[in-house]
Amino acid sequence: MANEWQVKIGNRIHGPFTDEQLHQLVRSGRVDVDTPIRPAANKVWKRAGETEGLFGAVDPSAAEHAAAVEEIVDEVLLGTQPKQSTVRQGQSQGTALATTAAAGTKACPFCAELIQSAAIKCKHCGEFLDGRKSAVTHRPEPVRVVQIAPPAPAWSPGAAAVLSFLFPGLGQMYKGQIGMGLLLLVITVIGYMALILPGLAIHIFTIFDAYSGNPHSGSARR
């Protein structure tokens, strides 16, 4: 072959690669019979399966002069740094990948998982192999509704009414209306001293006044 090659995966062009590197891509499953390739000096793309000798018998002794096949592929195709490994591991991995490539599978160029050669979308990472955007979407987190309990009442209307019934003006003092409570106390006492009926009327007024108002505030709202 004695050429420098370019490989097209999806809408990206990789290379140039030497003949040995191209064979390594075939053994790893990154290049299958349908992958478009071309000599670096040629503008015409053709299927890799149409290249004579590319998918023939691969000499196992070639692995003795290279690192593990999968790591070499990552270094050449993806631009990552290879990890240290033994030649024996590279031979076993290369044999396994070549077997799966022959069985109609290939490695996804995005996540390196094995998928069918004719697949246009990886079932593992969800990426499209023909250049389309990924269909994987992220669901928004549900909105949490926090319910805030209403504040406890500052005073009890019932308790205020009972206190004013027992002692005129005491319910107002309980509510925080000290001045009003003292005033009603004096008026009620004067009413009882003058006549029973006026004093009783004022006393009843103090009971209803103590019961009224907003119990959630420090004092009654008039």
Side-chain angles (χ1 to χ4, degrees), residues 10 110 120-122 125-136:
F110 298 98
I120 61 174
K121 177 183 177 182
C122 178
C125 65
E127 292 288 348
F128 286 98
L129 308 183
D130 57 358
R132 284 185 288 174
K133 293 184 178 180
S134 172
V136 179

Side-chain angles (χ1 to χ4, degrees), residues 6-109:
Q6 289 182 326
V7 177
K8 187 176 184 181
I9 299 178
N11 60 351
R12 297 181 60 185
I13 299 175
H14 305 274
F17 304 125
T18 64
D19 290 342
E20 175 59 25
Q21 290 172 337
L22 185 60
H23 277 291
Q24 291 167 354
L25 293 174
V26 171
R27 288 196 296 268
S28 71
R30 301 296 176 91
V31 172
D32 58 22
V33 293
D34 294 320
T35 302
I37 66 172
R38 69 182 181 186
N42 196 335
K43 295 184 178 180
V44 179
W45 294 96
K46 64 179 181 179
R47 296 171 60 250
E50 299 175 359
T51 302
E52 183 179 357
L54 183 57
F55 286 88
V58 179
D59 184 5
S61 63
E64 298 177 0
H65 307 288
V69 173
E70 183 177 352
E71 296 169 358
I72 291 177
V73 171
D74 290 338
E75 179 187 17
V76 173
L77 185 58
L78 303 181
T80 59
Q81 294 296 325
K83 301 177 181 178
Q84 298 296 328
S85 60
T86 61
V87 173
R88 181 173 299 178
Q89 289 175 334
Q91 291 175 340
S92 61
Q93 292 172 352
T95 303
L97 289 173
T99 302
T100 56
T105 59
K106 62 181 179 181
C108 172

